Amino acid sequence: MHTESAAPATRSTVSETNRSRVLHYLYTHGISSRASIAQALGLSAAAITKITARLIDAGIIHEVGGIEGRKNRRSIGLELDPRQFHFIGVKFARSLVEIGVFNLKGETSSLTDLPPVQNDTIPDTICSIHKTINTLLDNDSSIVAIGMAVPGPYLRHEGRTAVVSSMQGWRTFNFLDEFSDAFRVPVFVEQDARAGVLAQYLLDPTSSTCRNLAYYLLGEGIGLGVIDDGRLVNGAQGGAAEIGHVSIDVNGLPCDCGNRGCLERYCSAVAIHRRLSETGIVADSDTMTHKQACHALFEQAAQGDRAAQHLVHEIGRYVGYGCVTIFNTFNPERIVLGDIVAEGGQPLLDAVHEVVDERVIPELNKATTICLSRLPADAAVIGAAAVAVTQFLEHPSRFFAIT
């Protein structure tokens, strides 16, 4: 997986690339011998010996007892212990901020939901984030990096989000200025759907071998993260694949981005909550958060409520219209639906397939899998941690002195 554009090769970049390849191999395959790594990566035994010696000296990998090697000979194994290094993930989702601590394999050691955010409480939320992260860092010396997932379109070189529908207070907030140098470990910020696709790629075995993967984020906003031929799609400013602001009705509902009929206005958790308030399908939905209201809708649908089932089907068809755009724009092997609205489950997925079967070129439809995320319910914040894990695996010299 490559997250950055290609640069002219130098001895140092080649060395870093090979270190990264070794780490990725150990991350994926577990304890391995030097001979098996050399064979798999097409490098000489001498080169692997040199690379792994430096990784051992830096404390990133370590030797373990003898393992069965080639021709039934015993070999010294090498391990990248997933429990040795921890990562903080911070997920920003308009009114929701989650902070978790995870190991290299995405296993959770703690997860905290901050109080719901409103435009006028953003400064208080930022203070709480600083306090929570500093406490976590003080209590866990194995934390080596922080990943943050923020709503798109995220202008990666400026450090801010261009549009945050229904929560414009975030639009003037600069994540890089606020967090880049705030803690003892490095901080990496990424658009939330791109963080999600990294999590799918790293942590879901069914997606890890997929070189053309799309993660369709269905949360308080609608986003898309794409890995195309093994590379993360960013765009010139970081605004690529902003499917939430693709119009599905040129005369439709106005959006904060200036467009009309944006997909986000019809199937995001915010839009669903608005529909529930208008229809009264879920009692007392006005007292709930967006996430709680969606969960209540899906529960009622599962229990047989016909009005709730009808609305879930309608939402699924809107999600399906987004899938049609994904098919025609990126032609991925797999589209993974995740976040709050994906909790609609199989009935939602059935409605998606209904639209796709009607509107997608048959050859593309046949060759593409659409599925619900297999990651746990806190996959959104795992995605934030996956941003930091990816940097750790691809650029180890940023974290350790490797001579």
Side-chain angles (χ1 to χ4, degrees), residues 252-266:
L253 297 170
C255 180
D256 291 341
C257 74
N259 200 358
R260 277 188 171 270
C262 289
L263 183 64
E264 190 169 280
R265 299 286 281 129
Y266 298 91

Side-chain angles (χ1 to χ4, degrees), residues 215-216 218-219 298 337-346 348 372-373:
Y215 176 70
Y216 190 1
L218 306 168
F298 300 141
L337 313 183
D339 219 301
I340 297 170
V341 181
E343 292 178 12
Q346 192 62 47
L348 183 96
L372 301 171
S373 174

Side-chain angles (χ1 to χ4, degrees), residues 12 21 46 56 74 81 119 124 148 156-157 165 179 188 220 235-236 243 260 275 278 317 320 329 343 384:
S12 61
R21 294 176 69 201
I56 291 170
R74 303 298 289 176
D81 186 350
N119 272 311
D124 293 334
M148 295 186 172
R156 59 194 308 113
H157 302 300
S165 304
F179 296 118
F188 304 96
E220 292 194 351
I243 196 171
R260 277 188 171 270
R275 285 290 300 278
E278 293 169 352
R317 285 190 63 87
T329 306
E343 292 178 12

Side-chain angles (χ1 to χ4, degrees), residues 93-109:
R94 293 165 173 77
S95 69
L96 173 68
V97 175
E98 294 177 293
I99 302 176
V101 179
F102 307 88
N103 68 17
L104 272 168
K105 289 296 186 179
E107 296 169 340
T108 310
S109 58

